[in-house]
Amino acid sequence: MSIGNSPEDERPFSDVSGVSEEARPSVGRALRQARIAAGRTVDDISRATRVRIAIVHAIEADDFAPCGGDVYARGHIRTLARAVHLDPAPLVAQYDAEHGGRPAPTPAAPLFEAERIRPERRGPNWTAAMVAAIVAVIGFVGFTAFKGGGSGNDAKSQVAEGTTRTPTQASSPTPKKDKPAAPTAAPSDSAIAAAPQDKVTVQVSAPNGRSWISAKDHNGRMLFDGLLKKGESKTFQDNTKINLILGDAGAIQLYVNGKKIQDDFRPGAVERLTYTKGDPEVG
């Protein structure tokens, strides 16, 4: 029999409106007393919220370490409060006050920043312009020599004429303008599924429900920290490894380096995972 079924020694708490802040019950005790007042066991709450029994017990004992972090702790508090008909906002505010306040949100890093290819800017073709200018100067000098030498010297006349005709055809070449390379579009999911061997690529999707997820690169830089709604997906890529925390692993489907991860994650389970370029070995 699970702990929390038919608690004989538990008593509903009395009305605490108007009680001073010092006498106010802790977050865990408030949730426990509200559950008892509602006539529900820990098993009932676990089945209704999909929060594991061990985590419900820990939260009611004001032990938030099994939640996996402040983000998940706040989410569990809201879920449990709604299940026992409590307003979650005061409990979350009380939790923040007792645990150093709510941190500022970390902006998600742009995906595949290293994969973007910017078109190279190319200047005018100065080499062709310089060649044309030199030819024009040579032609002008030859034409001047031909005019000054008279018609007596046939050889010089022929050379001058030949030299004069040459720049007529090449005196005004049009420099060719190289077209800039078209910018490469952001990689699609199908391209990501190809999984380059020199990187680690992790695609996280939520086909069965929603879950809080956290993703960091090998330097510990936060790539994403937030709620992945049902039907949404996120893809992360790094040169070495990707560190993941899944708030509800049972709602998540993973593709690592183009391969589907076959792990049978339990609903409500918090999973901490690390994937590298060689993963997965099977699957």
Side-chain angles (χ1 to χ4, degrees):
M1 178 168 54
S2 303
I3 298 175
N5 285 329
S6 302
E8 297 179 356
D9 59 341
E10 296 177 336
R11 297 291 184 271
F13 67 103
S14 59
D15 185 10
V16 295
S17 59
V19 177
S20 63
E21 185 174 353
E22 292 77 6
R24 181 175 56 184
S26 64
V27 173
R29 182 173 176 79
L31 290 172
R32 179 173 177 269
Q33 291 176 337
R35 173 180 61 77
I36 296 170
R40 306 186 71 178
T41 66
V42 173
D43 285 348
D44 295 336
I45 296 300
S46 178
R47 284 193 297 269
T49 63
R50 297 181 67 186
V51 178
R52 288 185 296 168
I53 293 175
I55 293 179
V56 177
H57 277 297
I59 291 175
E60 289 189 354
D62 292 307
D63 178 10
F64 299 97
C67 295
D70 290 339
V71 172
Y72 308 108
R74 293 187 191 94
H76 289 325
I77 290 171
R78 292 189 184 95
T79 301
L80 297 180
R82 295 189 183 103
V84 295
H85 309 294
L86 285 181
D87 182 4
L91 295 177
V92 173
Q94 182 178 350
Y95 172 86
D96 290 338
E98 295 173 353
H99 293 79
R102 185 180 183 90
T106 302
L111 297 180
F112 311 111
E113 185 175 355
E115 297 298 321
R116 294 176 182 169
I117 301 176
R118 297 182 179 178
E120 180 183 358
R121 295 182 178 180
R122 297 183 179 180
N125 194 339
W126 295 109
T127 302
M130 290 178 65
V131 171
I134 293 172
V135 172
V137 170
I138 293 174
F140 177 75
V141 172
F143 178 76
T144 303
F146 168 74
K147 296 295 289 183
S151 59
N153 193 335
D154 294 338
K156 290 183 179 180
S157 175
Q158 292 176 359
V159 171
E161 289 177 359
T163 307
T164 303
R165 293 191 187 101
T166 301
T168 302
Q169 299 176 357
S171 60
S172 59
T174 302
K176 296 182 179 179
K177 296 182 179 180
D178 296 333
K179 295 182 179 180
T184 302
S188 63
D189 289 345
S190 60
I192 294 168
Q197 296 181 357
D198 60 338
K199 298 180 184 297
V200 54
T201 304
V202 177
Q203 186 182 64
V204 184
S205 59
N208 302 321
R210 62 180 187 174
S211 173
W212 284 95
I213 67 170
S214 173
K216 295 182 180 179
D217 63 11
H218 72 283
N219 289 323
R221 184 182 63 165
M222 185 69 70
L223 301 178
F224 182 80
D225 183 8
L227 180 65
L228 191 67
K229 297 180 180 178
K230 183 177 181 180
E232 291 183 342
S233 65
K234 295 285 184 183
T235 307
F236 310 103
Q237 195 172 76
D238 187 71
N239 293 330
T240 306
K241 67 180 180 179
I242 296 293
N243 295 311
L244 291 177
I245 299 178
L246 308 179
D248 183 358
I252 293 300
Q253 177 63 65
L254 294 176
Y255 286 84
V256 178
N257 297 325
K259 297 180 180 180
K260 183 178 180 180
I261 300 300
Q262 301 295 340
D263 291 351
D264 187 13
F265 297 127
R266 293 178 56 193
V270 178
E271 296 288 344
R272 290 174 172 83
L273 307 168
T274 298
Y275 293 108
T276 62
K277 290 184 287 188
D279 292 328
E281 295 182 358
V282 296

